[in-house]
Amino acid sequence: MAMLCTLSIFLSLLVPAHTTRSPDCGGILTPSGLRYLAEVSKPHAESVLRHDFMAPPAPDPSPISPSRNQIISVKVDKFSLTLIPDTGMRLSIEVDLGTTSAPSTTKEMRLSILADLHVDMNPEGNLELVTSDCKPTLEEVQSTEGVTEDSKSSGSDVDKQINVEKICLEVSKLLLFPNERLISLAAPFPITPSCQVQYLPLAAPMYSEQGIIISLQTTFQVAGTAIPLPVSPVPFSMPEPVSSSPSHLILAFSEHFYTSLFSALEESGALNVSLLSSLTTATLAERITQMGSLFQEDLPVVLQAVTRSSPHVALEEDKAIVKLFLTAQIGAGSSLFQSFLSVNVDVTARLHFSIADTRMIISVAAVEDIELSLAASDVGPVLAALLEELFLPTVREEVPAQINVVLRQGVFLPHIASFTYTNVNITIHKDYVLIPCNLQLEAKTGEASTRE
């Protein structure tokens, strides 16, 4: 990646002045991404135009009017999308039309469409593609007829068969991301059975030389209800490459996004875990003498851990850390759990990120620090050194394993339907994670790219 400069000014402009909402993630669709969208839209556009120009007039309305000329072939020769800074996009299409008025007479016409497009936000808060200007032109490029008055008027004849007004009205449908796909960007995605994530656009995108910039705010739902999240101490600023990027898309996620994610998991109860120890009540009684009178039989010792305060994620260069604050009730009992110790457990662990298709896979990779402190005891005082000797191995092994089970399905990234992400390069910076990637249409699987 090229050297990065801040985009905080752009993002602050994206946030409406009347609201306190602020972005915690966003993305830049680069000129390379626009070229890819044009590439995959070209066959789609040809199919749509062929259907419109060559379809019979009944029973549905058609852009073909009854005429002695008939369009017999449609081929999209050029299809391009270019960025217009501060304005939007320009769609340029050149279509070769083959026409005939008799078995021995053919004409080749060239339909050129030049349209200015931009993405706006409708009153419902959804993004939609809008056509601000459209100029279609039609000209004859080749004919098997001699130059006659009839041939001079052939362009007019074919023009009658083409509903120019309809072409301009529906020109956005020639692209593969019409409004239905844009609406899918804000759809809720599952994280766990009871927890969902949703990315809401804060305003219409902005257009710079580096690409189309969109600002998103994440909301999390638990059991269908949006939950309050920690307030970000500082507005999110995401990076913008100072030179053109070869990637189609650059996604960025703030430190606040990851803290909010773990807070939502905490609220849903997903971080409350049961840890099975290798100890039993009999072996524990050898170290804690008052244990002997509590249990008549030898039972496995279990740590039932629940969160006592919200987790926190810290992002530094090439490093992501999560801090979990748990309280473990240590006890035994198959049918009726009996706790004899309550221990505060603070875990600091490295996070590992990878991407599969349109999901970010987050896992606890390595525990860096564990602090155990006695909160309550039914078996008398227990020294901190003994607590660590007895329970630290279980916490070190089982907490990451159990949290990874919760996170194994991954977190869906902002995306539109039918597109997935490839050639992903994840970089962790101070306060944000940057994910340059390429788009791929209807990919069935995606290779995971990783960065620890």
Side-chain angles (χ1 to χ4, degrees):
M1 286 294 297
M3 294 294 292
L4 300 175
C5 68
T6 183
L7 193 59
S8 57
I9 296 177
F10 281 109
L11 289 178
S12 63
L13 291 173
L14 285 173
V15 183
H18 64 273
T19 179
T20 57
R21 298 188 303 167
S22 62
D24 54 15
C25 60
I28 304 174
L29 179 65
T30 68
S32 297
L34 280 178
R35 286 193 292 271
Y36 177 77
L37 290 176
E39 176 188 331
V40 297
S41 294
K42 184 177 177 182
H44 167 77
E46 187 170 292
S47 175
V48 171
L49 292 173
R50 185 179 292 116
H51 176 270
D52 283 352
F53 294 162
M54 300 174 66
D60 296 323
S62 167
I64 300 179
S65 304
S67 170
R68 66 187 184 91
N69 288 297
Q70 293 294 319
I71 297 176
I72 58 173
S73 66
V74 176
K75 177 176 174 54
V76 175
D77 184 47
K78 293 182 180 179
F79 192 105
S80 67
L81 267 176
T82 54
L83 194 65
I84 308 175
D86 304 319
T87 303
M89 301 166 284
R90 177 155 294 161
L91 174 64
S92 179
I93 309 174
E94 292 186 0
V95 187
D96 293 334
L97 304 175
T99 69
T100 182
S101 58
S104 60
T105 304
T106 61
K107 293 178 174 44
E108 289 186 13
M109 309 295 294
R110 170 64 58 85
L111 171 65
S112 299
I113 303 170
L114 196 64
D116 288 343
L117 310 171
H118 67 276
V119 177
D120 207 348
M121 177 176 280
N122 62 25
E124 291 75 31
N126 295 317
L127 298 178
E128 60 181 10
L129 196 60
V130 177
T131 304
S132 54
D133 189 30
C134 181
K135 297 177 182 177
T137 58
L138 186 67
E139 61 180 350
E140 181 179 326
V141 294
Q142 187 176 351
S143 173
T144 58
E145 287 185 331
V147 180
T148 65
E149 289 302 317
D150 287 342
S151 66
K152 290 179 181 179
S153 63
S154 61
S156 177
D157 286 336
V158 175
D159 187 62
K160 293 177 182 178
Q161 297 176 256
I162 300 174
N163 189 330
V164 173
E165 183 179 348
K166 182 178 180 182
I167 290 175
C168 283
L169 188 63
E170 301 181 351
V171 69
S172 64
K173 291 187 177 180
L174 300 180
L175 297 170
L176 268 177
F177 52 96
N179 294 330
E180 293 81 1
R181 294 182 193 269
L182 287 176
I183 291 175
S184 71
L185 174 69
F189 301 110
I191 303 173
T192 69
S194 64
C195 186
Q196 292 181 316
V197 62
Q198 189 173 18
Y199 302 98
L200 300 177
L202 292 179
M206 295 186 68
Y207 304 87
S208 75
E209 292 182 357
Q210 281 70 39
I212 302 173
I213 308 157
I214 185 169
S215 167
L216 299 170
Q217 183 188 51
T218 311
T219 63
F220 293 93
Q221 299 176 7
V222 174
T225 302
I227 63 170
L229 294 171
V231 177
S232 176
V234 292
F236 171 52
S237 59
M238 67 179 268
E240 181 185 23
V242 295
S243 59
S244 60
S245 169
S247 298
H248 297 163
L249 182 68
I250 302 172
L251 296 172
F253 295 86
S254 69
E255 182 178 274
H256 183 251
F257 167 85
Y258 292 99
T259 292
S260 298
L261 167 63
F262 276 90
S263 295
L265 292 173
E266 175 214 3
E267 182 75 18
S268 70
L271 300 183
N272 298 336
V273 294
S274 182
L275 314 176
L276 182 61
S277 170
S278 60
L279 300 171
T280 67
T281 53
T283 57
L284 203 57
E286 297 175 1
R287 307 301 303 276
I288 305 174
T289 55
Q290 294 187 43
M291 280 284 302
S293 60
L294 291 181
F295 299 95
Q296 302 302 316
E297 57 181 321
D298 192 17
L299 298 172
V301 173
V302 176
L303 288 72
Q304 293 187 350
V306 298
T307 54
R308 71 176 190 274
S309 62
S310 296
H312 177 72
V313 174
L315 300 177
E316 302 292 341
E317 290 297 322
D318 297 319
K319 187 177 183 180
I321 295 291
V322 63
K323 296 182 179 180
L324 302 173
F325 308 99
L326 310 171
T327 295
Q329 300 297 328
I330 302 174
S334 53
S335 57
L336 182 62
F337 181 79
Q338 181 180 352
S339 171
F340 50 83
L341 283 176
S342 180
V343 177
N344 290 333
V345 181
D346 296 348
V347 179
T348 302
R350 288 280 291 269
L351 290 177
H352 174 269
F353 302 130
S354 64
I355 305 296
D357 296 331
T358 54
R359 291 173 296 122
M360 179 178 358
I361 310 300
I362 305 172
S363 59
V364 179
V367 173
E368 293 199 340
D369 184 50
I370 300 174
E371 294 182 10
L372 303 180
S373 60
L374 186 64
S377 173
D378 292 338
V379 291
V382 181
L383 296 177
L386 183 57
L387 281 179
E388 292 186 359
E389 179 187 343
L390 294 174
F391 303 114
L392 193 145
T394 298
V395 172
R396 184 179 297 278
E397 181 178 350
E398 288 295 318
V399 167
Q402 295 294 328
I403 300 301
N404 288 340
V405 169
V406 173
L407 296 170
R408 64 185 174 186
Q409 297 301 321
V411 179
F412 279 96
L413 300 167
H415 68 281
I416 58 176
S418 302
F419 285 90
T420 187
Y421 299 137
T422 62
N423 302 106
V424 181
N425 178 29
I426 302 173
T427 54
I428 303 171
H429 298 281
K430 180 174 174 54
D431 301 329
Y432 67 92
V433 172
L434 198 68
I435 308 178
C437 57
N438 285 345
L439 297 168
Q440 183 171 310
L441 177 64
E442 295 181 344
K444 300 301 180 183
T445 58
E447 295 182 1
S449 298
T450 64
R451 177 64 183 257
E452 244 182 67

